[in-house]
Amino acid sequence: MVGKKSGKALLREEGLERTDNNMDLTTWPQVNMINQKNYYTEYLKRDDQILPLRLQQDERRHRMTTHAKDRDRALAQARPNEIPPPEADMDIDDDVGVDEIGGALSGQDALGSKVVVIHPGSQNLRIGLASDALPKTVPMVIARKWKCCESEEDGGERKPKRQKLHDGSLPDPDKLFGQEFASQYATMSADLKVHMRLHKRRVLPNSKELVVNYNRRTSPETISEHNDPLRIEWTEIPAKSQDAPDFFTGKEALRIPDSSNPRYKLFWPLQRGWYNEHCYSNKTLLLEDIAIIIEEAIKQQLNLRKKKDWAQYGCVFVIPDLYERQYVVQMLELLMRNFGFGRVCFIQESLAATFGAGYTSACVVDIGAQKTSICCVEEGMCIENSRINLKYGGADVTDTFIRMMLFDYFPYADINLRRRYDFLLAEEIKIKFCTMNENDISVQFCDFHLRASGQDTRQYSFKTYDEVLLAPSGYFQPSIFDHSDKLRGRRKLVGPSEDLYDGSPNDPISSAQSAVLQLINPLSSKNSHEPSANGDAATNNQALSTPIRQLPNPFHRFTEFENTPSAVGSPAPEGDGTPAPIGEGTVNSSLKTLASSLRDDILPVIGLDTAILTSVLHGARSDERKTRDFLGGVMVIGGGSQVPGFYVYLEEKLKELRPGFAKDIMIGVPPRELDPQVVVWKGGSVFGKLRGNDSWIGQLEYDRLGSRLLAYKCMWAW
């Protein structure tokens, strides 16, 4: 009887037996499993493993080696009785360039002659070498060939926009801008009279009637061009259209006649501190215009004609305090790729202002042409939660002043701020006549000259009363400003920056800015979680573009909001009821979500005095000593603050809101009689000449890491 065969025997008979030839299944190295209870790695835990830090160490080591060799060579060549050269301090050479720039800087180069400082704004670009005493100011505008100029668009609609009757004709001047503007203007005028009587100042009962009656009957006086000593030199356009240049920049663009052949249209690529997405059809053209304006300014104002020489220069670029990450990344690419600078670094506006003024701690209030930024700076660092960005400035004062003058029968009734010569004229009369000194408020006789291309000069005379003060006082009552078009086209071309991993918005926010948004629209916390019908943020712009009317005392509402007790936050100190701001430890996720989701839907517009106190309270974080330091060091800069009497007026407003700190509140001006408009640029030039500045981004590291370098190179939390 045959015994039963085993499985191996059957497989062997069938030829399926597995044989081992002592060969590995693969040549790939086998990695043993990690012991989950005890494992350790040094990846990216040492400075020499991070490229930017490693390059800095290599550069320092190279300088030390070079210095030692030079000293040894000097000692070897020295005579026997000659005194050896002194031992130099290596720390003083920390501002030399990286290898790509060509080695160490010396002589005049070490003083900033190889560093370009750029401070772009909504209306003006300030640019110059760090060794210059003052910058060159260039209008941030470009004129391109177009089918029509900006004053001929939209059917020739004038600015400020006038209301029309049913038959298309214009109403009386006191009804040109609607009932709401008329009532608010009358209320502000009545409040001013009460305030002046309270301070024992003389008020004539019929001042308005005197102004209106004079302006209604006056007529202009014509002056021939050859008798005008201050006639304007307009930009000449070639007779043949094909010979005309494709674009003009700066002052040449503003001096192109509106009726030129061919037509040119003005483009302002930056508006209110944002990209001007409304006037552009694609993102490429927008960035190209910014590049052309800066490039032409460098070539014409700094006399750096050859771009190949720019690799020998560094660049300090000034950015807003509450910046957008997309803007910074795109500007970095522009400076490194298009312009080819050897190295680039960024600095925030408020920090640059303290550098320029020589302050260590201050509350910086920067009133520009179209935006106002507020930030507390302490020991060379911007306090993140104190940053506030408001969307009004000197241009809003100009527009409101013209509307008030037209309301009072301004003799030049056809003024249109879309026309180039009218825009320059409006800025001129605002600077010349506006004041915030109540002692100067009386019926004043004024005149101006209207100079237009191809026309004789016309001299207008008119009278003013309280318009010269009420227009700049709109900083404290911004509802008098026109905010209807400020959110138009927002996020049409450039979307918000998003986190690479979870897709959430990661643009910087601050608790002070979030508090401003909640003060404007208290229901925003509820609306932020309700999606729109079509999921498009632009749908909500129409409902939220104009902020709701402010309460009589909006800061009182904010005080109640901040005094709400929480489990973590500290209670408000007793005495004057100072609200406890939301600090870093008390900011919850819902507040951050609110700020990021509604940042583009709500226009941040509140009174300047309320915004300053909000910034100080969030920056001091309930520390009374810091609060007094910031209130005693409020530094006001920017062209929008150059109204006579503005500092005294602002100080009185702050004391009214915070009487407990009345002895500490003090409004400061930039020292050494420095122009408030150039303080930020001056700080950028000081920053560019600092010894031991580790925030420079070189070409080599940018080629390898790109914009990821900003996380290591910025002086703030990127």
Side-chain angles (χ1 to χ4, degrees):
M1 181 176 179
V2 181
K4 185 179 180 180
K5 295 183 179 181
S6 64
K8 291 184 178 180
L10 293 174
L11 291 175
R12 185 167 54 251
E13 291 179 359
E14 296 176 4
L16 299 177
E17 181 185 13
R18 179 178 178 179
T19 59
D20 189 1
N21 54 7
N22 295 324
M23 294 181 64
D24 295 334
L25 298 177
T26 176
T27 58
W28 193 264
Q30 300 296 318
V31 180
N32 297 325
M33 296 295 293
I34 297 177
N35 184 0
Q36 297 293 332
K37 294 183 179 180
N38 184 16
Y39 67 93
Y40 177 74
T41 179
E42 293 184 351
Y43 179 65
L44 292 182
K45 288 189 176 181
R46 297 197 309 267
D47 289 349
D48 57 358
Q49 295 175 334
I50 301 175
L51 178 63
L53 304 180
R54 186 167 67 249
L55 290 178
Q56 293 176 6
Q57 295 175 358
D58 294 344
E59 182 63 27
R60 293 192 185 97
R61 190 180 301 109
H62 174 71
R63 288 202 304 270
M64 293 177 63
T65 304
T66 304
H67 172 73
K69 291 181 179 179
D70 294 342
R71 178 172 176 80
D72 293 343
R73 187 180 301 109
L75 290 174
Q77 296 176 356
R79 297 178 181 178
N81 297 330
E82 187 177 359
I83 300 176
E87 186 73 24
D89 187 4
M90 289 301 299
D91 292 339
I92 65 174
D93 297 328
D94 285 341
D95 65 336
V96 297
V98 294
D99 292 338
E100 303 88 48
I101 304 179
L105 303 175
S106 60
Q108 291 295 326
D109 295 346
L111 298 179
S113 60
K114 290 292 185 180
V115 177
V116 179
V117 183
I118 302 175
H119 178 209
S122 300
Q123 187 164 312
N124 291 312
L125 167 70
R126 291 182 173 84
I127 190 171
L129 297 175
S131 57
D132 296 340
L134 294 173
K136 307 293 191 302
T137 301
V138 180
M140 191 71 182
V141 63
I142 182 172
R144 287 187 174 274
K145 283 184 179 180
W146 214 254
K147 57 183 178 182
C148 61
C149 64
E150 60 276 6
S151 61
E152 298 172 346
E153 291 184 333
D154 300 330
E157 182 69 43
R158 288 179 289 184
K159 181 183 179 183
K161 186 176 181 180
R162 282 82 155 171
Q163 293 189 354
K164 297 181 180 180
L165 301 176
H166 296 290
D167 57 355
S169 60
L170 295 177
D172 294 335
D174 55 355
K175 299 179 182 179
L176 275 177
F177 306 106
Q179 182 63 31
E180 183 178 357
F181 174 81
S183 61
Q184 190 168 1
Y185 181 28
T187 302
M188 294 176 64
S189 182
D191 293 343
L192 177 61
K193 288 183 179 180
V194 172
H195 190 269
M196 292 178 64
R197 289 193 181 100
L198 185 64
H199 289 77
K200 309 300 182 182
R201 293 186 176 93
R202 184 182 179 183
V203 178
L204 296 178
N206 60 340
S207 301
K208 279 289 184 182
E209 289 76 7
L210 294 176
V211 171
V212 170
N213 292 334
Y214 181 86
N215 292 343
R216 183 181 295 175
R217 68 173 185 269
T218 186
S219 58
E221 177 185 353
T222 304
I223 302 175
S224 58
E225 185 177 1
H226 62 275
N227 290 330
D228 184 9
L230 301 177
R231 58 182 177 271
I232 297 176
E233 297 294 334
W234 301 93
T235 302
E236 296 184 1
I237 306 297
K240 296 182 179 180
S241 301
Q242 58 270 22
D243 296 338
D246 293 332
F247 61 85
F248 289 93
T249 60
K251 296 180 180 179
E252 292 183 348
L254 291 178
R255 292 303 184 186
I256 299 177
D258 291 76
S259 58
S260 63
N261 185 23
R263 291 286 196 272
Y264 284 85
K265 180 183 176 182
L266 298 184
F267 289 91
W268 304 82
L270 296 179
Q271 293 279 273
R272 289 171 286 279
W274 291 331
Y275 284 132
N276 184 14
E277 302 172 65
H278 169 64
C279 296
Y280 288 86
S281 58
N282 59 78
K283 175 182 174 182
T284 303
L285 184 60
L286 171 62
L287 297 178
E288 181 183 353
D289 281 357
I290 296 177
I292 290 176
I293 294 173
I294 298 178
E295 180 178 346
E296 292 297 318
I298 294 176
K299 291 181 178 179
Q300 298 177 7
Q301 303 297 330
L302 305 185
N303 201 25
L304 301 177
R305 303 291 181 177
K306 300 179 180 179
K307 291 185 68 174
K308 64 180 182 180
D309 298 334
W310 295 3
Q312 304 296 325
Y313 287 79
C315 177
V316 177
F317 197 87
V318 183
I319 62 174
D321 303 321
L322 208 57
Y323 57 89
E324 294 182 349
R325 293 168 65 100
Q326 291 273 24
Y327 172 73
V328 179
V329 170
Q330 289 160 359
M331 290 302 104
L332 177 60
E333 182 179 2
L334 172 69
L335 298 173
M336 301 298 286
R337 292 282 185 260
N338 296 30
F339 295 165
F341 283 115
R343 53 178 184 168
V344 174
C345 70
F346 294 96
I347 185 174
Q348 293 170 295
E349 288 177 339
S350 295
L351 181 58
T354 57
F355 274 67
Y359 293 170
T360 57
S361 298
C363 177
V364 181
V365 182
D366 186 359
I367 306 177
Q370 298 178 5
K371 75 173 180 64
T372 298
S373 61
I374 307 169
C375 181
C376 295
V377 180
E378 183 181 20
E379 301 298 335
M381 291 294 292
C382 293
I383 301 178
E384 295 182 358
N385 282 330
S386 68
R387 296 175 294 182
I388 292 179
N389 196 308
L390 306 175
K391 301 306 178 183
Y392 58 75
D396 295 279
V397 175
T398 304
D399 179 82
T400 304
F401 180 61
I402 296 300
R403 285 196 292 164
M404 290 181 175
M405 292 306 305
L406 290 173
F407 187 89
D408 293 335
Y409 291 82
F410 190 53
Y412 180 35
D414 193 41
I415 188 171
N416 181 10
L417 298 186
R418 296 183 185 274
R419 284 198 293 254
R420 294 151 198 171
Y421 57 87
D422 282 348
F423 168 76
L424 298 174
L425 172 66
E427 290 288 336
E428 177 186 348
I429 62 177
K430 179 198 71 172
I431 296 174
K432 189 175 181 181
F433 301 122
C434 280
T435 181
M436 301 198 78
N437 292 321
E438 290 187 358
N439 295 329
D440 299 336
I441 302 304
S442 61
V443 178
Q444 300 283 346
F445 177 82
C446 310
D447 63 344
F448 66 90
H449 293 78
L450 175 64
R451 298 177 176 90
S453 177
Q455 303 178 18
D456 290 334
T457 302
R458 285 170 286 173
Q459 181 180 4
Y460 286 86
S461 60
F462 64 101
K463 287 187 176 181
T464 64
Y465 179 52
D466 56 0
E467 305 90 351
V468 294
L469 186 143
L470 295 181
S473 65
Y475 288 135
F476 308 93
Q477 299 183 30
S479 56
I480 194 67
F481 294 152
D482 182 15
H483 307 295
S484 57
D485 297 336
K486 293 186 177 181
L487 285 178
R488 186 190 301 179
R490 178 67 172 153
R491 296 302 184 192
K492 185 180 71 172
L493 302 178
V494 183
S497 176
E498 295 181 351
D499 189 84
L500 182 62
Y501 298 100
D502 57 10
S504 61
N506 61 354
D507 278 327
I509 61 174
S510 70
S511 59
Q513 185 78 0
S514 302
V516 168
L517 297 181
Q518 286 194 345
L519 179 63
I520 296 172
N521 190 359
L523 301 179
S524 59
S525 58
K526 297 180 181 180
N527 297 336
S528 62
H529 302 289
E530 298 177 1
S532 58
N534 56 358
D536 188 3
T539 307
N540 297 329
N541 288 353
Q542 299 176 357
L544 299 176
S545 59
T546 303
I548 62 175
R549 185 184 299 277
Q550 296 182 10
L551 300 176
N553 188 359
F555 198 74
H556 177 68
R557 187 181 187 91
F558 179 59
T559 304
E560 294 177 352
F561 167 73
E562 286 196 330
N563 279 331
T564 304
S566 62
V568 182
S570 57
E574 298 179 358
D576 54 358
T578 305
I582 304 175
E584 296 178 358
T586 59
V587 174
N588 51 23
S589 58
S590 62
L591 190 60
K592 293 184 178 180
T593 305
L594 164 68
S596 60
S597 61
L598 293 183
R599 187 174 179 176
D600 301 325
D601 298 337
I602 301 178
L603 190 68
V605 173
I606 62 170
L608 182 61
D609 48 353
T610 304
I612 292 175
L613 291 178
T614 305
S615 175
V616 169
L617 293 170
H618 284 258
R621 298 181 60 192
S622 301
D623 189 336
E624 185 176 353
R625 182 186 60 82
K626 289 185 179 180
T627 302
R628 296 184 184 277
D629 291 343
F630 288 143
L631 290 177
V634 178
M635 182 175 62
V636 182
I637 59 175
S641 65
Q642 291 187 306
V643 181
F646 178 79
Y647 302 106
V648 178
Y649 193 93
L650 175 60
E651 189 171 327
E652 292 179 357
K653 285 290 186 179
L654 293 177
K655 290 180 179 179
E656 290 177 4
L657 287 180
R658 277 292 172 267
F661 293 96
K663 296 181 179 180
D664 303 299
I665 294 176
M666 183 178 298
I667 307 300
V669 297
R672 303 185 299 274
E673 298 181 356
L674 192 61
D675 186 359
Q677 299 181 85
V678 303
V679 173
V680 175
W681 182 92
K682 191 66 178 178
S685 67
V686 173
F687 182 72
K689 295 181 289 185
L690 279 183
R691 315 281 184 176
N693 187 352
D694 292 335
S695 59
W696 289 106
I697 300 175
Q699 284 284 0
L700 173 62
E701 47 194 347
Y702 182 76
D703 291 340
R704 295 185 181 181
L705 296 180
S707 60
R708 289 178 292 173
L709 277 169
L710 294 171
Y712 302 102
K713 293 294 188 176
C714 291
M715 298 180 61
W716 61 91
W718 173 258

